[in-house]
Amino acid sequence: MRTILCLPGFTEEQQAAVRLAAPELSIVFGQKDGTEDYYYQEAEVIFGWDAKVKEVALQEGTKLRWVQSWSSGIDSLPLELLEKRGILLTDASGVHARSVSETAVAMMMGLSRGIAAAVRNQQTRVWESPKSLAELNGGTVAIVGAGEIGREVARLARAFDMRVIAVRRSGRSMSEADIVYDVARLDDALREADYVVNILPLTNETEHLFHAERFAVMKSSAYFINVGRGATVRTADLLEALNKGVIAGAGLDVFEQEPLPADHPLWAMPNVILTPHNAGGMTVRNTERLAKLFVSNLAIYLSGETANLRNLVDYKKKY
C-alpha cells in the first residue's frame, strides 16, 4: 500500500487534515522516541527530515518519490543524491516569514536602541548608556534576498517609517519596497543602508558573498543582520569589520560553523547579538502554516500535477 511518513510535530487536528487529504493511503506519524526503519523503507512521501531519511529511505530501489522539507533552507540536504534518485523536493519557503522577519527587526532594534548592551550590563549591574543610539524611523534598510521573508521584513520596516531597498536577483519590482536593485547593484544598496538584512539562500553564487570589500562599502554606523545562511558570509572578514569599527554591529542567527564553538570571538563582542539558528523555529504558528502547505501540496501530488507543487526545488539552482 502507498505510504506517507510524517515525522513528529503535527497536532492531532493537523494529523486529521493529512488523513482527510489522502484517505486511501497508509499514513504513519513518527514518534519522538524513534520510528521503525520499515516505515522509512515503505514511504512514498516523507514530511520532514532526519538522518534516517538519507540512511534508509534513499537507498537503491527506494519507494520514496517526494520529500516535503520543514525548512526553507535545503543546502544541508543531499541534493545530488535526491536528484539522482529522481525524488521531488519541496521546501518550506514562506512558512517562516513572520518569525524570521520578527527576529531580524528585533535584532535591528536591540542593536540600535542599545538593548543588547543593556542586557549585558544587567548581568553585572552596571548603569551605563551607549555612547550613541539610533532609531529605525527615517533610516534605510537594504534587504538582500527579497523573497517571502524579505517582503515581511519590508512590511515591518515600513511600519517604522523606514526607507526600504530590496535587492533581488531578478530586479523585478516589489510593492513593499521603495526601490529595487538587481544583484549587480548590491554595493550601491550597501552604501545607502543603515541596516543590511541578509536573507540569501546558500548557492554557488552566494557563498561568501559578504566579504571584506562588501563590509568596507557600508556605513561605519550601519548594522549587518544575517538570518539567511551562515556561509553567505566570510566570518573572518565580518570579525575584522566589527573589531575595526568598519561597521557598527551585527545580529546573527546563522553561522558558517554550527553550533558556534564556545571559544569563538563572536560570543564576547559587545556589538553583536547571537541567536542559535532559531529565527525560523517551529512556533505554533509556523507548524500551522507548514501543515497547511503540506496538505495543499499533498492534494497536488496525488492529482499527478507534480510540476505545480508549491516551493518545488530546482536542483540546478539549489533552491
Side-chain angles (χ1 to χ4, degrees), residues 64-68 82 86-90 301 306-307 309 312 315:
L64 189 59
R65 292 293 174 266
W66 169 39
V67 172
Q68 170 67 62
L82 286 162
I87 296 167
L88 300 166
L89 174 64
T90 50
Y301 175 81
T306 56
L309 285 168
L312 184 61
Y315 287 116

Side-chain angles (χ1 to χ4, degrees), residues 145-146 151 166-174 180-184 319:
R151 287 181 179 277
V167 180
R168 313 185 78 187
R169 186 190 190 102
S170 65
R172 291 196 303 269
S173 63
M174 187 175 106
V180 177
Y181 292 158
D182 62 23
V183 291
Y319 63 87

Side-chain angles (χ1 to χ4, degrees), residues 1-72:
M1 189 173 185
R2 299 171 71 184
T3 300
I4 298 173
L5 172 60
C6 297
L7 297 179
F10 283 163
T11 65
E12 290 186 6
E13 182 180 355
Q14 290 157 0
Q15 291 179 18
V18 175
R19 291 191 182 96
L20 186 63
E24 297 181 1
L25 276 66
S26 172
I27 303 173
V28 177
F29 294 96
Q31 304 301 312
K32 290 184 178 180
D33 57 355
T35 303
E36 293 180 26
D37 289 5
Y38 170 79
Y39 295 115
Y40 288 86
Q41 294 165 349
E42 290 297 307
E44 176 183 337
V45 175
I46 293 180
F47 164 81
W49 188 270
D50 62 16
K52 277 192 178 182
V53 178
K54 182 178 179 180
E55 294 169 3
V56 180
L58 293 187
Q59 298 306 307
E60 287 281 358
T62 180
K63 294 183 179 181
L64 189 59
R65 292 293 174 266
W66 169 39
V67 172
Q68 170 67 62
S69 170
W70 47 32
S71 171
S72 301

Side-chain angles (χ1 to χ4, degrees), residues 146-165:
E148 293 296 324
I149 297 172
R151 287 181 179 277
E152 188 62 21
V153 172
R155 188 185 69 83
L156 294 175
R158 282 278 186 84
F160 285 95
D161 294 323
M162 299 187 75
R163 176 172 176 259
V164 178
I165 302 173

